[in-house]
Amino acid sequence: MSAKPSTESRPDFTQLRALPRERWPRREQILCEAASLFAQRGYHGTSTRDIAEALGIRQPSLYNHYPSKLAILQDLCAYDIGVPEERVRWLAGAEASASARLYAAVSLDVEYCLEAPIDMRGLPDDLIREPGLESWNRRLRAWYGTVRALVREGVEEGELAPIDPEFARQAIWGVEWEVIRVSHGGRRRRAGTRPDDTAAFLLRGLLADPGRVGEVRQAAAEVIAAYRAAT
């Protein structure tokens, strides 16, 4: 079984969700408002003054917590890239079929983004190419590489239909992103059945025998339970 995932750069969403936003630590309030504004206006269309005004504070007060907009973006990357990349690395080493691990990865990704107390829609891939985000860019590419490796393994084992792993990775991300875009709406909400629905939809299209999706779902549930126990 895989080792326990690192807790480095892992935000405690449970504590934040349990509190009204005005009781969050100021840094998390800043991250939340910045993420919402980035989703609405884009990173380059948002200033630190905009973020401060959304919080009802003066710009110098924001600088007491973050010296620049880039520093805010770097912390947001811990939510958007750090946690998912650690998770998929753990799943890649779990004791289960590639299809079950891929199903678990999709389900947990969607659940995480829909239940996150910040808006995950404001951090598109091209933003990670900003100067100063090189380490996060490397982790994003590592995340994508792990997903491709899972697809490749599934194809080689005959579980998944023959497909280019990068095309499959793009298709998975495209569907996940659309579910998040439509469902999140910048509001905190419970994920409901969307994570499982999304994983089932995608795996049904990737499996060599789509009729096995129920079997894969059951195996993925065990992987997800093991991941939750480890974290």
Side-chain angles (χ1 to χ4, degrees), residues 10 17 20 35 49 65 125 148 169 187 194 217:
R10 184 180 296 278
R17 278 200 303 263
R49 185 181 300 277
H65 300 277
D125 285 6
R148 286 194 298 269
R169 197 279 305 166
R187 301 182 299 275
R194 286 295 174 88
R217 176 191 283 117

Side-chain angles (χ1 to χ4, degrees), residues 8-61:
E8 181 183 0
S9 74
R10 184 180 296 278
D12 190 341
F13 281 178
T14 304
Q15 289 186 0
L16 292 183
R17 278 200 303 263
L19 294 172
R21 191 168 299 176
E22 59 270 17
R23 291 181 58 193
W24 289 9
R26 180 63 81 188
R27 285 178 67 91
E28 280 67 31
Q29 291 180 10
I30 292 170
L31 290 178
C32 183
E33 291 299 339
S36 295
L37 288 170
F38 293 166
Q40 295 165 28
R41 306 178 186 178
Y43 174 73
H44 294 292
T46 302
S47 67
T48 53
R49 185 181 300 277
D50 294 330
I51 298 168
E53 288 179 354
L55 284 164
I57 63 175
R58 297 174 65 242
Q59 194 173 19
S61 298

Side-chain angles (χ1 to χ4, degrees), residues 59-177:
Q59 194 173 19
S61 298
L62 184 147
Y63 289 139
N64 289 333
H65 300 277
Y66 285 103
S68 66
K69 187 170 66 169
L70 177 62
I72 295 172
L73 182 59
Q74 288 170 331
D75 264 13
L76 285 172
C77 285
Y79 283 81
D80 191 58
I81 299 172
V83 174
E85 190 268 332
E86 287 181 9
R87 180 173 56 239
V88 79
R89 263 193 287 126
W90 189 95
L91 293 171
E95 295 176 1
S97 66
S99 59
R101 285 175 283 153
L102 192 59
Y103 191 113
V106 171
S107 181
L108 287 169
D109 273 353
V110 173
E111 177 187 74
Y112 174 79
C113 288
L114 293 185
E115 297 201 348
I118 65 171
D119 192 337
M120 293 294 195
R121 300 170 301 154
L123 298 171
D125 285 6
D126 57 354
L127 191 56
I128 308 303
R129 292 195 287 271
E130 286 288 311
L133 297 179
E134 290 82 6
S135 64
W136 289 115
N137 198 336
R138 288 192 293 272
R139 289 189 68 174
L140 179 67
R141 302 305 154 194
W143 175 12
Y144 288 173
T146 304
V147 174
R148 286 194 298 269
L150 281 174
V151 173
R152 190 176 299 112
E153 182 182 342
V155 171
E156 290 173 353
E157 292 176 350
E159 285 193 292
L160 303 183
I163 191 171
D164 173 55
E166 174 58 13
F167 177 78
R169 197 279 305 166
Q170 291 177 10
I172 290 167
W173 177 236
V175 171
E176 286 187 7
W177 179 255

